[in-house]
């Protein structure tokens, strides 16, 4: 007969519980948290070592654990908004539970912490970029001439443009970068589109949403910016080409402009040797934009 005693049942239940650990990834954030008496660590390196040991222990027990980026400033604001005591372990637990639903997380599957942390930081930067771009896009409001929502129209135009860019790209894996200069900072979004065995393109929905939002912001505000595509396929050279943002869309870069951008040191202006087996080229013709997509004023 199977043992269904309380200890056995509790061990089984623990394996059914998914947990989240809020991680202080850098020394500055760690020092900020040390101001709380109940925060029981005084060395960041040792703290990271203990976190990794805990993750390994939980994984060995069959538990699914995700890691979230713990931001001390956001934590302090959370405690102020909720009326919680920031110098209490239960408050940190409440905040970490909130991160599990609203913040970027990475699932722990046995990878070293040194490998997990950069991915977690990249995910946090990606989410922050999307939130910032979406906020600016929403603030633009309606056109004074026709009343159309400019941000919504720009998003529609950006979505249509992205589809045309992907549809006209050569077969293979695609790496697309969009950069838009805002008054505060330059926003950068990255999109990967890999061909599956049948040749269909596989996109990460979160990446696609962020990319389209940043591109839409550039279109709506007519900000300086551009897009660069790199395609890679077995048995052929890589292709790199791009566009600059112009008016309500994009303008193709010449092969020479692409070459100069990739083969010139941005700081010194010195020439850099081109990569081997790379074709710096003009982009394919995207065709005419749908006149019904996007705001035309």
């Amino acid at each position: 007969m199977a043992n269904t005693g309380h200890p056995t049942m509790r061990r089984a239940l623990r394996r059914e519980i998914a947990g989240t650990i809020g991680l202080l990834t850098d020394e500055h954030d760690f020092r900020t948290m040390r101001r709380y008496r109940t925060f029981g660590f005084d060395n960041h390196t040792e703290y990271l070592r203990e976190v990794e040991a805990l993750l390994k222990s939980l994984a060995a027990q069959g538990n699914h654990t995700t890691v979230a980026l713990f931001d001390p400033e956001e934590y302090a604001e959370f405690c102020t908004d909720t009326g919680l005591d920031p110098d209490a372990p239960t408050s940190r637990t409440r905040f970490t539970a909130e991160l599990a639903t609203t913040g970027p997380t990475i699932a722990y599957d046995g990878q070293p912490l040194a490998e997990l942390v950069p991915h977690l930081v990249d995910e946090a930067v990606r989410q922050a970029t999307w939130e910032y771009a979406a906020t600016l896009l929403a603030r633009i409001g309606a056109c004074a001439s026709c009343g159309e929502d400019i941000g919504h129209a720009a998003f529609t135009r950006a979505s249509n443009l992205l589809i045309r860019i992907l549809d006209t790209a050569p077969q293979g894996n695609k790496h697309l970068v969009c950069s838009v200069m805002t008054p505060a900072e330059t926003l950068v979004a990255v999109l990967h589109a890999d061909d599956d065995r049948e040749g269909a393109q596989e996109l990460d929905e979160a990446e696609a949403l962020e990319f389209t939002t940043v591109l839409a912001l550039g279109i709506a505000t007519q900000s300086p910016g551009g897009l660069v595509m790199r395609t890679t396929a077995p048995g052929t050279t890589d292709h790199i080409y791009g566009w600059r943002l112009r008016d309500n869309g994009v303008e193709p870069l010449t092969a020479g402009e692409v070459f100069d951008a990739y083969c010139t040191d941005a700081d010194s202006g010195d020439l850099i040797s081109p990569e081997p087996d790379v074709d710096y080229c003009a982009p394919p013709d995207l065709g005419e934009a749908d006149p019904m997509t996007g705001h035309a004023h």
Side-chain angles (χ1 to χ4, degrees):
M1 181 179 293
N3 185 353
T4 57
H6 292 304
T8 302
M9 292 175 64
R10 287 171 187 162
R11 282 195 296 271
L13 282 172
R14 287 193 190 100
R15 290 194 292 270
E16 302 290 330
I17 298 173
T20 302
I21 292 177
L23 181 65
L24 296 159
T25 59
D26 64 61
E27 184 75 35
H28 177 268
D29 287 348
F30 181 83
R31 288 198 303 268
T32 300
M33 289 302 295
R34 287 195 61 200
R35 65 188 177 189
Y36 300 121
R37 179 185 54 82
T38 57
F39 183 73
F41 294 91
D42 56 15
N43 182 281
H44 188 233
T45 301
E46 180 63 25
Y47 161 81
L48 292 175
R49 189 178 298 117
E50 290 297 325
V51 169
E52 186 161 26
L54 176 59
L55 288 169
K56 290 179 179 179
S57 174
L58 291 170
Q61 297 170 24
N63 295 98
H64 175 80
T65 308
T66 58
V67 182
L69 195 66
F70 195 105
D71 186 303
E73 292 185 6
E74 290 183 4
Y75 172 64
E77 292 174 2
F78 173 80
C79 290
T80 299
D81 294 341
T82 55
L84 295 173
D85 176 11
D87 197 0
T90 53
S91 300
R92 294 194 287 274
T93 301
R94 285 272 300 275
F95 178 65
T96 300
E98 185 81 6
L99 291 177
T101 59
T102 62
T105 60
I106 297 290
Y108 177 75
D109 57 10
Q111 68 271 51
L113 204 58
E115 179 182 310
L116 183 148
V117 167
H119 290 299
L120 181 60
V121 172
D122 287 346
E123 190 69 20
V125 170
R126 194 178 83 175
Q127 180 168 318
T129 298
W130 171 74
E131 290 175 349
Y132 181 66
T135 299
L136 293 182
L137 202 60
R139 287 177 180 172
I140 296 173
C143 174
S145 300
C146 68
E148 185 175 10
D149 186 304
I150 296 175
H152 182 270
F155 190 89
T156 301
R157 184 180 289 271
S159 300
N160 178 265
L161 181 59
L162 177 58
I163 291 171
R164 287 155 53 210
I165 288 173
L166 293 175
D167 285 348
T168 58
Q171 290 292 312
N173 296 335
K174 304 164 186 67
H175 181 83
L176 189 57
V177 179
C178 176
S179 60
V180 172
M181 295 177 62
T182 73
E185 59 182 310
T186 298
L187 301 182
V188 178
V190 178
L191 178 64
H192 300 87
D194 295 341
D195 291 348
D196 62 18
R197 293 181 179 177
E198 286 72 39
Q201 297 184 48
E202 298 178 330
L203 295 176
D204 181 279
E205 292 185 4
E207 274 192 1
L209 176 60
E210 179 209 339
F211 189 94
T212 306
T213 303
V214 171
L215 177 57
L217 179 64
I219 291 172
T221 58
Q222 298 191 7
S223 300
L227 298 93
V228 175
M229 169 76 87
R230 181 169 189 149
T231 62
T232 304
T236 184
T237 58
D238 288 6
H239 290 79
I240 299 178
Y241 52 84
W243 303 261
R244 64 173 58 87
L245 295 184
R246 182 61 56 88
D247 299 327
N248 287 319
V250 294
E251 178 182 86
L253 298 173
T254 66
E257 289 174 322
V258 176
F259 181 89
D260 288 344
Y262 269 81
C263 300
T264 303
D265 186 276
D267 296 323
S268 66
D270 296 335
L271 291 178
I272 302 172
S273 298
E275 294 183 58
D277 298 321
V278 171
D279 183 12
Y280 303 94
C281 54
D285 183 8
L286 299 179
E288 293 297 323
D290 185 345
M292 300 302 292
T293 61
H295 185 255
H297 291 294

